[in-house]
Amino acid sequence: MTKPRGTADFFALEAGECLERLEAAITHEGPRPDEMLRAARGLRGSALMAGHPAIARAAAGFEGLARALRDKGLPWTDSTSERAAQGVDELRHLVRRAPEWTDVDTTRAGRLAAELDAITGAASGDVLRPASRAEGSASTGVRAFVAREGALIASALDRAARALESTPEAREPLYAVLRRMQSLRGLAEIAELPPLPEILDGIELAVGDLTRLFAPPPDVSSVLDAGAAALARLSREITEHGRPQGDPAEARAFTEGLLRAFAAEADVVPIESMYPDGDPHPMQRSTAQPQFAPVAPLGPVEMVSYGEHLTQAADRILASAPGTARDLRLYTLVSTFRSVAVAGEDPMTRALARLGRAARDLIGTGAAARKPEAFAAALREAGAILSGLVDRPDPRTAAEGLDAIARRLGARDEDVRPPSPAAGGAATGVPERVVIPAPAPAPEPAEAIVLPVEPVAIESLAFNGETGFAPDAVVPIEALAPSGRVGLESGFDRLRSLASGRPSPATATATAPAPFSSEAETIVEIGTLCYSGRGALERAAEVQAEIARQMADARDLSG
C-alpha cells in the first residue's frame, strides 16, 4: 500500500516547482522580474505553511531582488546573475534538508538572505512583517493556503452542480468535492476562523446526503452554487483581512437554501398514498434485485441514548450564535430525525417518526431558527421522556407524551392520530391513502372519410384568366383546401372536372373566377410545400434508388 503523503512531502513538491520557475526566470536571456516575484512569493508562502521560517526568509530575499529589478531599475550584471543562480542552488539544498533541519541550516538560510539584501540594499525581513497581525487573524501562510484551497473547493462545487443538472444520478463529482475538502479540513488554524468551519461542515453534510439519497432535492444545484459563493467570499476576506468579516450574506443564503432543500422534503409523497383501498398486497418486490432487510426500530437502550442526544442538541442550539452557525447546528439534526422514521408496530416507533417529521418541517421552514428557545425546550422535553424509559418503562405513556410534543410543534392531526385498522399503512402510521381514479376511456374516433383520388396532371390545374387553365399560371393553394364533407366532395368534383376539361355539376352554373388580386389572395411560401426533416431524407433516398435503377437498365436518359 502506498504511504500517504505528509506535509513535508507536499512542501518538497511545491518548493521544487517554485525553484524551477525561479531558475528559469533568472537564467533566461535577461531577467524576468514578474516571474521571479511570483515564484519567490509562492516559495515563501509554502515555507511558512510548512513551518520553515528560515527558508521563507531566504525566499523573501529573492522577492526583494525582483522588486529592485522591476521598480528601482537595478542593473542586471554578470555578478548579480551568478549570485542569484547560486542562491537558487542553495535554496534547493535547504529544501532537501527540511525534514532534518538543524541550526546549521538556519545559519545558511540567514546568510543567503543577507547576501541578497546586500545586492538590493533593502531588508527583506520586512516582507515577512507587512503589518502587525490583528488579534485572531491568520498568518500569511494560512491566508495563502485558505485562498488556494477555497478556490479549488468552490470550483469542484460548481462542477458538481452542473453535473447534477444534466445527470441527477451522478456521484463521482460529489466524491471529488469530498476529496478536495480534505486538505482544508485538516488545517489546525481553521477553528479560529468562524464561520468558515461551519460552512465546510454544511457542505460536507449536504454532499454526503446527496451521495446517499436516491434522487437529489429540487433545485439542489442552486444550493451548491450558494455554498461555492459563500466559500469564495470567506476565503477572500481571510486573504485580505486575516479573518472573516462577520456573517456574510452568501453564507446566510447557503444555509437557508440547505434547510429548505434537505430538511422539509415537501416534494416527497409517501408511497402508501398511491395504494388503492382494499388491496391486500399493494407492493411487489423484485425477484431479480437483491433485497435488504428494513431498518429495525430503536430498542429500549437506543431510545434512552437518543433522548440524551436530543437534550445535548438542544443545549448546542442555544449556545450557537444566531445566523449561519445556528442554522448549520439545526441542519445536523435533520439526519438525526430522519434516522428514526422507520416502520414499526409499537406505538413508540410511530410516535418518534411523527415527532421527527414535525421537527424537520420546522427546521425546513425556518421556524426553529426564528424561535430557538421554544424548539430547544421541545427537544429537552422529548429527551426527558425517552431518558425516563429507564425508570418508567411504559411505552404507551411515553408515546402519548411524544405525540403531545409533535402536536405542539405543528404536526397535523392525521399524522398523530392512530391509523384505522382498515388502512394498509397501520404499521407505519402514514396518512390515509389517496385513491387515484382510473382515467376515463377515451372517446372512439369518428369514422374517417376516404375518397378515391384519380391521377391529375398538375399543368391542368393552372388557371389563365377567362380562357381556362394553362401551364404558365399559378393556382393559390387555399383554393384546394376542403371545407367539411361538402367541401371535400365539391373539391374532388372540381379536380376531376379540371382534369377532363369539362365543368363539374357543382360548378356548371358558377361564374368564371375573377382575375388574381394580391389583396384577395394569400401568398404561400414555396418552402412550405417542400420536403423537410425525415421526410426529405426518405424522399432523397427514393430518388437516389430510382436513379440507380435507371442507370442499371442502361436506358437513354437524354430525353
Side-chain angles (χ1 to χ4, degrees):
M1 182 180 296
T2 304
K3 183 179 179 181
R5 291 176 175 174
T7 305
D9 297 325
F10 283 113
F11 170 66
L13 290 174
E14 284 190 320
E17 294 176 0
C18 293
L19 287 171
E20 289 179 1
R21 296 200 303 270
L22 183 60
E23 186 176 25
I26 65 176
T27 57
H28 196 264
E29 296 179 358
R32 291 174 288 178
D34 290 333
E35 295 186 15
M36 288 177 59
L37 185 61
R38 283 193 292 268
R41 186 181 296 152
L43 177 60
R44 178 170 61 86
S46 180
L48 288 173
M49 189 172 55
H52 296 291
I55 297 179
R57 173 75 171 77
F62 273 101
E63 285 189 64
L65 177 60
R67 288 194 179 93
L69 292 171
R70 185 189 64 182
D71 303 333
K72 299 179 181 179
L74 180 69
W76 184 254
T77 61
D78 293 339
S79 61
T80 303
S81 175
E82 182 180 359
R83 189 64 197 95
Q86 293 175 356
V88 172
D89 293 336
E90 187 73 10
L91 273 175
R92 190 173 280 114
H93 171 76
L94 292 173
V95 169
R96 288 195 297 267
R97 291 285 305 164
E100 303 174 355
W101 196 263
T102 62
D103 294 339
V104 176
D105 300 316
T106 303
T107 303
R108 293 183 63 173
R111 184 167 57 248
L112 173 60
E115 291 175 356
L116 293 173
D117 290 346
I119 297 175
T120 60
S124 59
D126 295 339
V127 176
L128 300 177
R129 298 181 297 275
S132 58
R133 275 183 55 187
E135 185 67 25
S137 63
S139 63
T140 305
V142 172
R143 294 186 189 189
F145 183 74
V146 170
R148 183 186 63 186
E149 295 299 323
L152 292 174
I153 297 173
S155 177
L157 278 173
D158 181 73
R159 289 194 296 271
R162 303 289 78 77
L164 290 179
E165 287 179 350
S166 59
T167 312
E169 65 273 11
R171 293 295 179 267
E172 181 55 34
L174 300 173
Y175 297 140
V177 174
L178 295 177
R179 290 193 296 268
R180 186 71 263 175
M181 293 178 62
Q182 291 178 359
S183 57
L184 192 55
R185 297 283 287 169
L187 184 64
E189 292 85 350
I190 198 172
E192 304 173 0
L193 303 172
L196 180 58
E198 287 80 5
I199 291 294
L200 293 175
D201 288 339
I203 293 173
E204 187 172 1
L205 289 172
V207 172
D209 284 344
L210 287 174
T211 59
R212 291 186 292 270
L213 295 176
F214 290 103
D219 202 23
V220 71
S221 60
S222 63
V223 178
L224 297 182
D225 288 338
L231 189 58
R233 170 70 179 272
L234 293 174
S235 300
R236 186 168 59 252
E237 291 182 350
I238 292 173
T239 304
E240 296 175 356
H241 307 288
R243 62 178 300 103
Q245 303 297 298
D247 196 3
E250 290 84 351
R252 302 290 302 118
F254 169 61
T255 55
E256 291 172 1
L258 199 64
L259 295 180
R260 285 195 306 270
F262 290 90
E265 294 183 352
D267 62 312
V268 177
V269 179
I271 188 63
E272 294 85 352
S273 64
M274 312 298 291
Y275 298 163
D277 285 339
D279 189 351
H281 303 289
M283 294 181 63
Q284 293 184 355
R285 298 187 179 275
S286 173
T287 58
Q289 299 293 332
Q291 303 299 319
F292 301 96
V295 180
L298 298 181
V301 177
E302 294 170 324
M303 286 188 180
V304 172
S305 176
Y306 191 77
E308 295 175 352
H309 177 71
L310 291 181
T311 303
Q312 295 173 0
D315 296 337
R316 286 195 295 268
I317 290 173
L318 293 180
S320 301
T324 301
R326 180 169 290 171
D327 285 348
L328 292 173
R329 288 287 187 186
L330 290 169
Y331 178 66
T332 58
L333 284 176
V334 172
S335 58
T336 300
F337 287 122
R338 189 183 289 126
S339 65
V340 296
V342 298
E345 295 288 347
D346 60 291
M348 277 298 296
T349 300
R350 296 197 296 269
L352 273 177
R354 291 188 284 267
L355 174 66
R357 186 160 51 245
R360 284 164 52 197
D361 288 342
L362 287 180
I363 294 174
T365 57
R370 290 191 296 270
K371 297 181 179 179
E373 293 81 6
F375 186 74
L379 294 184
R380 284 200 188 95
E381 187 177 351
I385 292 175
L386 293 172
S387 301
L389 291 175
V390 176
D391 302 325
R392 299 179 302 279
D394 186 1
R396 187 168 298 276
T397 303
E400 293 175 355
L402 294 179
D403 282 339
I405 298 173
R407 289 191 185 92
R408 196 163 68 247
L409 292 179
R412 298 170 296 178
D413 290 338
E414 60 266 26
D415 287 345
V416 176
R417 68 168 180 246
S420 59
T428 58
V430 299
E432 295 181 0
R433 300 190 183 110
V434 178
V435 179
I436 301 178
E444 295 185 2
E447 184 178 357
I449 301 173
V450 180
L451 297 177
V453 179
E454 298 180 4
V456 180
I458 191 64
E459 292 83 358
S460 64
L461 302 182
F463 180 72
N464 186 11
E466 299 180 355
T467 61
F469 292 87
D472 300 332
V474 178
V475 177
I477 192 65
E478 292 84 355
L480 305 179
S483 176
R485 184 179 183 89
V486 176
L488 288 174
E489 293 175 351
S490 61
F492 177 70
D493 292 339
R494 181 182 177 186
L495 290 176
R496 185 164 53 184
S497 65
L498 293 177
S500 61
R502 296 188 300 273
S504 65
T507 60
T509 59
T511 59
F516 176 77
S517 173
S518 60
E519 289 79 6
E521 303 292 346
T522 302
I523 298 177
V524 179
E525 292 288 342
I526 189 62
T528 61
L529 305 180
C530 298
Y531 287 97
S532 64
R534 185 177 181 86
L537 296 176
E538 293 176 352
R539 180 57 181 162
E542 293 175 1
V543 173
Q544 185 179 11
E546 180 64 23
I547 293 174
R549 285 194 298 270
Q550 295 289 343
M551 297 295 293
D553 294 342
R555 295 180 181 178
D556 185 8
L557 301 180
S558 60

